[in-house]
Amino acid sequence: MYRLAREPGITLVDTPRHATILLVAGGVPPHFHDSLRRVHDQLPAPFAALWYRSEPLLELQQPGSGKMDDLAALPDTIMDTCRRLMAGEQDTASRLLSDTPPHPWQGLGDDGHGGEGMMGGVPYGRPMAMPPTPDLRDGLALDILTFRLGPFFPLWPAGLEAEVTLQGDIVQQFSVLSAPYPRALPRVFLEAQKGPVAIAELERKRIRYHMRAFFHALRLAHLPDLARRALVLAEQCDSQPVEKLSKRFRAFERALARRGFFALYLPQGGTLDSEQSRTLKGFAARAAGVEDDVRQADEGYRRLGFSVLTQQAGDVPARWRQRLMEVEQSLGLIARAQQKGTVTAVTDVVELPHGAGSADGLLESLLPGLEWSEALATLASLDLAEVSPWPCP
């Protein structure tokens, strides 16, 4: 995804209604196949599906189904498929589901529109608004809307599926139905659990992880130019001298301030209490004042002058400021570690960039009472996925 986001001829969109190509990357569990079919059928014609290192759905397993394994060829394949669709050289993909409403209503009920009596039935396919409880914020009994999102909703982690109840724009209830897919981390974090690794390399990968998180947050905030800058900075972490990285990171920080990312786009909410912070661990816990970091027990890090950075607020802005603080700290560690060739000393555990805690039950207690936009921003500020046993490229 990150490579495609940097391609000038490809635009990532937040809804299948705006897409021409559906790219399925990696395996999809069988219990999510129906959800994938619904996403597939929401693309407007003409459209096509491409399957990168993934098996097409049973109905689409045929010659020319768009299955491919070559990452280097993926951008050109996407753009060429789109060109052929627009030129009429390739037929649009077929629909997989029948075109029937989820709640049939025509010809039903007392008057043929699905309604029954005063408030019953599903008139025109929608249940009557019958708010059972006052609004959590201002006491107004607004209409309620219960719906499911995920597991392919692009504004939150892949694999996360939830049933959400809104009243107006306030989250009344949030129930997680499936957890996010496990997150693959760079190989160096797995190697650090088996033996000494170069601290400079470890911290470069940590910076890349945090800057990719900023890419997602800035897309959510509708700041695409800043999102691209975050992604470019992330992809430069492995190759650029630390002096250049530091200069570009400081320029990125100034750009965040000028565009009002903290002042205008982040809610002052989504606050973790002390118990939630200690359970979640990682940068989110440190943003709430918990001085917990495996690196402080590592002799290699202590020789570089490492100390635990914390804040106290524990809310959404604090978590993003914590990431910035830790990126700046990592840049300093890289500079000193490269001069001394310092390696890690602790090999049984490693401080992962997103923490190693548990998020079970967190969202159900954290999100109710927030506006929908605040809930999305809160989700984006947290790392909820478990760690995959397989490294990312």
Side-chain angles (χ1 to χ4, degrees):
M1 171 186 175
Y2 300 111
R3 177 171 180 171
L4 297 180
R6 291 183 285 121
E7 287 289 337
I10 296 176
T11 301
L12 303 181
V13 295
D14 293 332
T15 168
R17 302 289 188 185
H18 296 164
T20 304
I21 304 294
L22 172 65
L23 175 64
V24 183
V28 178
H31 61 279
F32 284 155
H33 283 185
D34 284 342
S35 297
L36 182 56
R37 290 184 178 95
R38 287 193 290 271
V39 173
H40 177 277
D41 280 10
Q42 290 179 45
L43 273 74
F47 75 100
L50 295 177
W51 307 82
Y52 172 67
R53 297 184 181 178
S54 181
E55 284 296 324
L57 293 169
L58 185 62
E59 305 94 313
L60 300 175
Q61 291 184 2
Q62 54 192 1
S65 60
K67 183 178 177 181
M68 60 180 304
D69 297 319
D70 186 359
L71 178 60
L74 185 57
D76 288 340
T77 301
I78 291 174
M79 289 186 280
D80 184 60
T81 302
C82 182
R83 182 194 62 77
R84 288 188 286 112
L85 284 169
M86 296 299 104
E89 299 172 4
Q90 177 174 328
D91 293 335
T92 185
S94 58
R95 305 294 178 182
L96 303 179
L97 302 174
S98 59
D99 187 15
T100 57
H103 300 290
W105 58 270
Q106 290 181 313
L108 302 177
D110 299 338
D111 298 300
H113 54 46
E116 298 178 0
M118 291 292 293
M119 301 289 286
V122 284
Y124 303 104
R126 293 181 172 85
M128 292 292 290
M130 299 177 65
T133 57
D135 180 84
L136 289 176
R137 182 166 295 187
D138 54 20
L140 295 176
L142 302 176
D143 297 348
I144 64 169
L145 174 66
T146 298
F147 56 93
R148 287 190 178 189
L149 274 180
F152 306 115
F153 183 48
L155 299 182
W156 64 32
L160 176 62
E161 184 176 19
E163 184 172 273
V164 186
T165 297
L166 296 181
Q167 196 166 19
D169 64 345
I170 305 297
V171 178
Q172 290 280 345
Q173 189 172 10
F174 192 96
S175 301
V176 175
L177 304 178
S178 67
Y181 291 147
R183 174 72 63 84
L185 295 178
R187 186 179 300 276
V188 67
F189 286 102
L190 303 182
E191 293 174 346
Q193 300 178 47
K194 302 175 183 178
V197 299
I199 287 178
E201 181 184 2
L202 201 62
E203 295 304 313
R204 282 180 181 271
K205 298 299 186 183
R206 193 183 309 277
I207 293 173
R208 188 178 75 170
Y209 182 91
H210 287 314
M211 295 311 300
R212 284 178 171 179
F214 269 102
F215 165 73
H216 291 288
L218 291 165
R219 285 192 70 224
L220 178 63
H222 300 288
L223 297 170
D225 55 329
L226 281 182
R228 183 173 177 81
R229 284 183 65 174
L231 188 57
V232 169
L233 188 55
E235 302 313 306
Q236 291 175 341
C237 284
D238 292 338
S239 59
Q240 291 293 317
V242 67
E243 295 80 10
K244 287 188 177 180
L245 283 179
S246 298
K247 182 178 179 180
R248 290 171 180 173
F249 174 70
R250 288 192 293 270
F252 174 73
E253 279 190 300
R254 292 193 296 270
L256 288 180
R258 285 196 303 270
R259 298 292 292 276
F261 176 64
F262 288 96
L264 302 177
Y265 294 96
L266 297 183
Q268 304 297 318
T271 305
L272 300 175
D273 60 32
S274 59
E275 181 179 352
Q276 291 170 330
S277 301
R278 294 184 185 279
T279 301
L280 199 58
K281 298 185 178 180
F283 75 91
R286 294 189 286 275
V290 179
E291 293 189 18
D292 181 21
D293 194 313
V294 172
R295 290 174 290 179
Q296 65 184 328
D298 189 296
E299 181 60 31
Y301 276 97
R302 287 205 298 266
R303 287 200 300 268
L304 297 176
F306 175 82
S307 61
V308 181
L309 303 176
T310 62
Q311 297 181 83
Q312 298 300 319
D315 56 7
V316 172
R319 287 193 284 276
W320 288 113
R321 288 193 176 95
Q322 184 71 28
R323 288 188 192 258
L324 289 175
M325 290 166 54
E326 296 197 4
V327 167
E328 186 173 9
Q329 182 184 50
S330 292
L331 288 167
L333 291 170
I334 292 168
R336 296 190 293 275
Q338 287 181 164
Q339 292 177 353
K340 302 177 181 180
T342 312
V343 299
T344 57
V346 176
T347 58
D348 54 340
V349 292
V350 61
E351 182 65 31
L352 301 177
H354 79 317
S358 171
D360 291 345
L362 175 67
L363 300 181
E364 287 85 344
S365 60
L366 187 62
L367 299 186
L370 299 179
E371 295 180 6
W372 180 237
S373 61
E374 295 173 341
L376 289 177
T378 299
L379 269 166
S381 72
L382 297 166
D383 284 339
L384 304 172
E386 296 182 355
V387 176
S388 169
W390 307 105
C392 66

